[in-house]
Amino acid sequence: LAQRRRLFSRYDDGIRLDKESWYSVTPEAIADHIAKRMVEDCRKAVGADADTHKEGVVVLDAFCGCGGNAVAFAKLPPEEVALVVAID
C-alpha cells in the first residue's frame, strides 16, 4: 500500500488498477517528467515559442494501457497540450 501511495499522489482518491496495470503503469512523477519534456521538445522541433505559438500540441497515445502517461499530458496547461487522445 505504501508503494502505491508513493507511485500516485492521489491514490487515496480512488485509483483502481488490475494486477497487470500495477506492473506496467508509469509512476506519476516519471510520467509528469516525460510529458513536460516531450512537449518542450515537440515545440522546439517545430520552432514554436510561448510568445508566438499559443496553441498546445495534440498528443496521441496509441497504446496507452491504463493511461498513466496520457493523464500526465492532460494535466499540462492547454497552452502546452490542447488535446490528448488515448487509445488502448
Side-chain angles (χ1 to χ4, degrees):
L1 191 60
Q3 174 79 1
R4 292 177 181 185
R5 285 192 180 98
R6 194 168 56 91
L7 292 175
F8 299 104
S9 63
R10 299 184 65 186
Y11 174 76
D12 291 324
D13 291 345
I15 290 180
R16 306 244 188 251
L17 297 173
D18 62 15
K19 287 180 183 181
E20 176 66 25
S21 296
W22 277 116
Y23 174 77
S24 62
V25 69
T26 304
E28 182 178 10
I30 294 171
D32 289 345
H33 177 78
I34 290 169
K36 185 72 172 162
R37 180 74 185 267
M38 287 193 67
V39 168
E40 288 172 0
D41 289 351
C42 180
R43 292 176 70 80
K44 285 179 191 174
V46 298
D49 62 38
D51 296 328
T52 60
H53 196 78
K54 302 291 185 197
E55 302 103 33
V57 299
V58 174
V59 176
L60 171 63
D61 189 349
F63 303 97
C64 72
C66 58
N69 291 318
V71 169
F73 280 106
K75 291 186 335 186
L76 294 174
E79 302 81 35
E80 294 180 20
V81 175
L83 177 67
V84 177
V85 179
I87 303 166
D88 185 35

